[in-house]
Amino acid sequence: MSSHLLKKGYEPKKVERRWYAYWEKEGLFSGEDVSDKEPFSIVIPPPNVTGVLHMGHAHNNTLQDILCRYRRMQGCNVLWMPGTDHAGIATQNVVEKRLAKEGKSRQSLGREEFIKRVWEWREEYGGLIIKQLKRLGASCDWDRERFTMDGGLSKAVRTVFVRLYEEGLIYRGNYIINWCPRCQTALSDLEVEHEDHNGHLYYIRYPFQKGNGGIVVATTRPETMLGDTAVAVNPNDKRYGGLDGKTVILPLMNRSIPIIFDDYVDMSFGTGALKITPAHDPHDFEIGQRRNLDVVKVIGGDGRMNEQAGRFQGKDRFECREQVLEALRDEGLLEKVEPYQHSVGHCYRCRTTVEPYLSRQWFVRVKPLAEEAIAAVRTGATRIIPDTWTRTYYEWMNNIRDWCISRQIWWGHRIPAWTCENCHELTVAIDPPTVCHACKGTALVQETDVLDTWFSSALWPFSTMGWPEDTDTLKTFYPTSVMVTGFDILFFWVARMMMMGLHFMKEVPFRDVYIHALVRDAEGKKMSKSRGNVIDPLYVIDEFGTDAFRFTLAAFAAQGRDIKLSEDRIEGYRHFINKLWNASRFSLMNLSDFEPDETGQDARDLSLADRWILSRLNGVVEIVTKSLDEYRFNDAASAVYQFVWHEFCDWYLEIIKPVLYGPETLSSPYVTTRFTLWSALNETLRLLHPFIPFITEEIWDKLPGTQGSIMKAEFPFPSKARDDREAEEAMKVLIGVVSGIRNIRGEMNVAPSLSVDAIVHSPDKDVRELVERHRDMILNLCRLKGLEVTPPDERPASSATSVFGGCTIFVPLKGVIDFELEQGRLNKEIAKISKELDGIGKKLSNEDFLKKAPQDVVDKVRERGERLAEKRTRLHEHLDKVSHLD
RNA sequence: AGGCACGUAGCUCAGGGGGAGAGCGCUACCCUGACACGGUAGAAGUCACGAGUUCAAAUCUCGUCGUGCCUACCA
């Protein structure tokens, strides 16, 4: 028997590198475009090219990998489509920062040169996160790696744009959009993050043009008053009756502006008078449209006041606010200032306060698209899991507003629209047109804006598969099986993929959407760089190994609850990996010369323990399979953890040691035990592989009788035929007896080195025979020197007692028994039983319970009551004896 | 302002109408020939609070309190 098969400690680093390279080399991650096998596909939520792997990615991709490896082993044709996202604003920011270090700007380079630099940057650094995903063990089909700016995907983007335009679902127009003065681009509503802000409500008097007095308006943004073109009041507001047709003088600007009546105005807010700035507020804009008001833009794209702002021109908008207030104070027009909390929008990329800004932009009319997307979930074509998110999805889809898709940046898909310099008509086309569609003129100038990055992301499930070509990949793998993602991009991405998928593929992009939780720090706070509480996944992998990390993530991935992660918790699961390693090491030591074929399968005469462990294994396989099918990763992980540690290691391995250590290697028990050990380990490894791919492959490789990668082995499947209730029931009895004896030893302070005797009384002949037949096992597990099994008989003198099932267990402790200790032990047990019996008694004496509860429940309670009562009686008897000298 | 989720052992969380569970931590003993990243045994909970439904509630309903998150065009 040799012990060099596995090293004493598991060394993840080398193992991980070796096996990942092997898997890649052997092409084990490849999906087949044409295959008879059942397809299973996932498209990866593409990380930003600028990204580095964070906990969110690690969690997200671990779950996807578990699913992919699971399905692959089940015989599916699996495609896990990988790739990255060009992340327009983020990437542009990164490259601009680098340029700044060289003393350059994107403007100084020019558009074309700048784009070239971005591509160069991408070549050099863009692959970082892909490498990191590989360290996680991600089994993506890397040969298919996509990038949202690739030629094929760009073609898909242009195709979609043109078709939507032609269908009237894309339009261009002047509207108030969210503008980031730092990024100098429009943002969609979703890209604005609202935060509560402790500001002020300023009350400003606008004097009447004629006569004395004036009207007081309230605003949080006094600088916008420079662009006011009206003051509105509610027509029902008695305070302002008779002001119709009156005008006021706009302070500081000395413009005369009308007082108008509009239902929109809330009488109860402020003074009931609302200043109207159509160019800088979405509602004001609407009112302005309705009432044909002038539009005066006073803030420029850079966040500074423009030439319309009079003497404030050139000032930053916030600086201007202070100066406007100062000026109003000087003129005595600032009536009062109140502290006021309101929410302020910030750019999700750079945190700059967003400016509502009137400009010409491109929009998608999403309502019609959203209707299809709502219906798809309602009919169950796509399931959202957990179900609670369905409501959120509907809520958002029902209230959806048009999507601003144009961005005034350079990095991205340039909008395929050309303006004719001659007739100013737009020509929209997939490929650059040579003539204007209207006047046939040839002087065409392309739109300079690019598309929102999410526009191309929305096409990801089919653009990555070759659309608009009609490819085999699409035929085989679309719709994808499941989208695994966090709720933070449910709207940004999932909803939009639904809309685009349905519209262009006429089919949902995915059957299931599994929404997982966020990974937080140990205190439940969101991990963020500024907070300094991030745990770097790569550090974790280096420190604890990928498998321990993955298993932790799976074990904590309960639906609907965020994961609070700390190093301690990962360390705990490293112990599990180590346990598996050592159990395997032990097994391999005893299987070194084992050949599965040499054991006649039919001739096997399995021991009770053998039958038990195989039956239990079947039970775990059932739980794992069912749990993974329902995306309950934590249930799967804890079931397998429980089995490996507390059944396979704690009981099975301990039970079989004497057989393996014994001299009789030709005996039937030796042969069958080795066979069972081998099959159980073999199956357990396959069961564990999706969660912890590296260590299982390493052990698999060393396990006799296995061929090729474990990735190609079959995932275990549960079978009724393998359920062995009889063996499980019998083992329950033996485990109970062993635990009873151990309990006595432990509580009575019997030194572990001391061998004692035990006596088991049972009125049940079958139980006696069972215990008798496994006396060696019990002797060994309890360190006994003798075991006697008899029908209930005279109670052995000077002994401690334990009652389990029908058995009464005695451990004679002549001379060493501490009567007080024993009494305490018995009393405690009796008290526990009595308390339970009280409850049961109450139930059984309740007429209604007996009448209305289902019969099987009544029977069960009654039976349990009898059992407990009997047990208590026996304990009482012993307590009596122990109390009256022994 | 609305909406959603969550309050179960010291900590992190499963469970979801009929016997309160796990992991970590804790206590005692043990380096027994896979593993001290280990073994054996043990202690520990008014299942947030209050009502209701029910023969029966940690579990279902309503309310209260607390904690998180999301949405929103409250000047």
Side-chain angles (χ1 to χ4, degrees), chain A residues 669-804:
Chain A
Y670 182 79
V671 173
T672 54
T673 294
R674 288 223 304 179
F675 186 85
T676 308
L677 173 63
W678 177 82
S679 3
L681 179 60
N682 180 307
E683 187 166 340
T684 302
L685 291 172
R686 285 181 279 132
L687 186 63
L688 283 166
H689 176 75
F691 302 92
I692 47 175
F694 293 108
I695 188 174
T696 47
E697 182 76 279
E698 176 73 4
I699 300 167
W700 181 261
D701 182 55
K702 302 284 193 299
L703 187 68
T706 59
Q707 275 164 1
S709 169
I710 193 170
M711 281 186 66
K712 287 162 74 173
E714 184 179 57
F715 196 80
F717 54 91
S719 125
K720 277 265 179 305
R722 298 200 301 162
D723 262 336
D724 191 337
R725 294 306 291 268
E726 200 186 302
E728 295 206 18
E729 287 306 315
M731 268 302 288
K732 246 184 223 161
V733 173
L734 296 177
I735 287 172
V737 170
V738 168
S739 301
I741 297 170
R742 283 172 171 176
N743 174 281
I744 293 172
R745 292 194 65 126
E747 297 218 326
M748 298 303 286
N749 298 330
V750 177
S753 52
L754 190 65
S755 268
V756 292
D757 289 313
I759 296 140
V760 174
H761 285 177
S762 172
D764 187 332
K765 182 158 160 279
D766 291 342
V767 170
R768 288 200 304 274
E769 278 178 13
L770 174 71
V771 175
E772 191 63 60
R773 230 178 305 128
H774 297 92
R775 63 179 304 121
D776 284 350
M777 174 182 134
I778 296 170
L779 291 180
N780 174 251
L781 293 178
C782 302
R783 291 193 158 232
L784 298 178
K785 59 177 192 287
L787 176 68
E788 197 184 311
V789 188
T790 69
D793 196 3
E794 192 67 10
R795 182 182 161 277
S798 298
S799 53
T801 303
S802 166
V803 174
F804 168 80

Side-chain angles (χ1 to χ4, degrees), chain A residues 306-343:
Chain A
N306 66 13
E307 69 285 350
Q308 298 285 341
R311 58 180 144 134
F312 300 99
Q313 179 177 357
K315 302 275 182 244
D316 172 80
R317 55 194 164 140
F318 296 114
E319 194 187 340
C320 173
R321 177 179 301 176
E322 296 311 316
Q323 296 189 2
V324 162
L325 290 169
E326 198 53 44
L328 289 170
R329 239 178 239 121
D330 288 348
E331 298 191 19
L333 294 171
L334 188 60
E335 291 275 313
K336 88 180 151 166
V337 179
E338 284 176 348
Y340 184 70
Q341 197 189 54
H342 62 132
S343 111

Side-chain angles (χ1 to χ4, degrees), chain A residues 530-554:
Chain A
S530 53
R531 246 195 216 101
N533 62 347
V534 292
I535 305 178
D536 178 4
L538 295 162
Y539 164 81
V540 170
I541 287 172
D542 285 339
E543 200 73 2
F544 303 102
T546 299
D547 290 326
F549 180 38
R550 288 172 57 120
F551 202 84
T552 309
L553 291 171

